[in-house]
Amino acid sequence: MLGSIPDLLRLVAVPVFGWAAYRDVKTRRVPNRTWTPLAVLAVVLLLWDAYTVWAGPIAVGQRLFFIRVAISLGFVIPLSYGFWLIGGFGGADAKAFMLVAVLFPVYPVYYLPTVALPLQQTAIGVFSLTVLSNTVLAGVVYPLAVAAGNLARGRFSLAMFIGRPVAAANVTEEYGRLLESPDGFDRGGLDLDALRMYLQWRGCSLADIRADPEGHRLPTSLPRVPNDPGDGSLATDGGDPVAGDGTNGRGDDATTEAVTDATDQIDDPWGAERFLADIDHSAYGTSPAQLRDGLDVLAEQDEVWISPGIPFLVPMFAGLVVSLTYGDVLFSLLQAVGLA
């Protein structure tokens, strides 16, 4: 047999994580229903293994198994949730790591004709920690690859390790965030999902803003009844709902008379404060100043640097595959320098 039945069933996770990584690259969105069948399978397999070990004759093996399960569930799951709370993980990233903690609490074993995989196991024996460390190492490769690509194309900038230049007019077709403000390089630039939400909310396209930036800076240019901003995904491009007839796409007058005198008196370029106050949730932590600075840059420049960010499910998928085949890369490196 190639391995135990539970371990073989766990391999179902590989194509699912591969598909999720593909979706993360293309849309930065992974449906919640992706994880539900795997979560059910993970719980069933964990209970299966727990019963098998509990019914076994070796008391030491039983203790080790349950200690490793306790570490996986008690450390990796809270860690993933904590990173999600502080914004280090997206929702899909956190769910994926929580799922790994339940699905792979201990090392699986797969027997090939001449070798058993994974090749390199750790002393602690918690497989979800191996997936986590390999994911982090795979993520470290990303900025190096970005820098190499920029060097090969002759692109030199403070942002060359984390970003790439694109035409300002085309940023609504990208994911990530601006790496520029009116003062220059800025790692805390405007989130492009928030930009799409803003354009959808006010019912215009980025091309409209670039064509008449001074007019769109005025509070009187805002619609009386804005659109639902959506979630900023590429399926909700800011220009799509515009009817092209001077309305916001629902027939509501969007002319300068559409805003009250009280609103006109607010010093609110681009209507940034009104937008953020009007929506019923955060625009990915965007502040009025970030939105104004980003719109100023996009209205004036022809090319801007953006950081596409790391679609975290991509290094996670790579980390899972490496873990299932080679094993723990970090443990091997530590062994090589005599620290493990």
Side-chain angles (χ1 to χ4, degrees), residues 141-200:
V141 174
Y142 175 79
L144 300 178
V146 170
N150 284 325
L151 281 173
R153 294 171 176 82
R155 302 166 176 169
F156 300 96
S157 166
L158 291 173
M160 64 181 295
F161 284 90
I162 56 174
R164 59 187 175 85
V166 299
N170 297 333
V171 295
T172 55
E173 300 171 12
E174 304 284 348
Y175 282 108
R177 68 171 55 243
L178 288 180
L179 291 173
E180 300 184 45
S181 71
D183 297 325
F185 172 70
D186 185 356
R187 289 198 63 175
L190 176 61
D191 187 288
L192 299 183
D193 280 357
L195 171 65
R196 279 185 286 271
M197 290 174 63
Y198 170 79
L199 295 174
Q200 168 78 8

Side-chain angles (χ1 to χ4, degrees), residues 55 83 112 119 128 136 186 199 213 228 249 271 297 308 339:
F83 271 109
L112 300 182
L119 298 174
S128 60
V136 171
D186 185 356
L199 295 174
D228 183 331
V297 168
L339 295 177

Side-chain angles (χ1 to χ4, degrees), residues 14 23-24 49 68 79 88 107 114 148 170 172 238 244 306 324:
V14 175
R23 284 275 303 182
D24 204 14
D49 279 344
R68 288 164 177 167
L79 181 69
Y107 270 77
T114 59
N170 297 333
T172 55
I306 67 167
L324 288 168

Side-chain angles (χ1 to χ4, degrees), residues 253-273:
D253 186 5
T255 62
T256 57
E257 291 79 17
V259 185
T260 65
D261 291 339
T263 304
D264 289 344
Q265 296 169 4
I266 296 174
D267 183 17
D268 185 19
W270 301 108
E273 290 184 13

Side-chain angles (χ1 to χ4, degrees), residues 133-149 161 310 315 318 329:
S133 65
N134 284 345
T135 297
V136 171
L137 291 177
V140 169
V141 174
Y142 175 79
L144 300 178
V146 170
F161 284 90
I310 301 177
V329 176

Side-chain angles (χ1 to χ4, degrees), residues 31-50:
N32 286 331
R33 63 180 180 273
T34 303
W35 311 116
T36 304
L38 270 184
V40 173
L41 177 65
V43 172
V44 170
L45 295 180
L46 180 57
L47 293 175
W48 186 338
D49 279 344

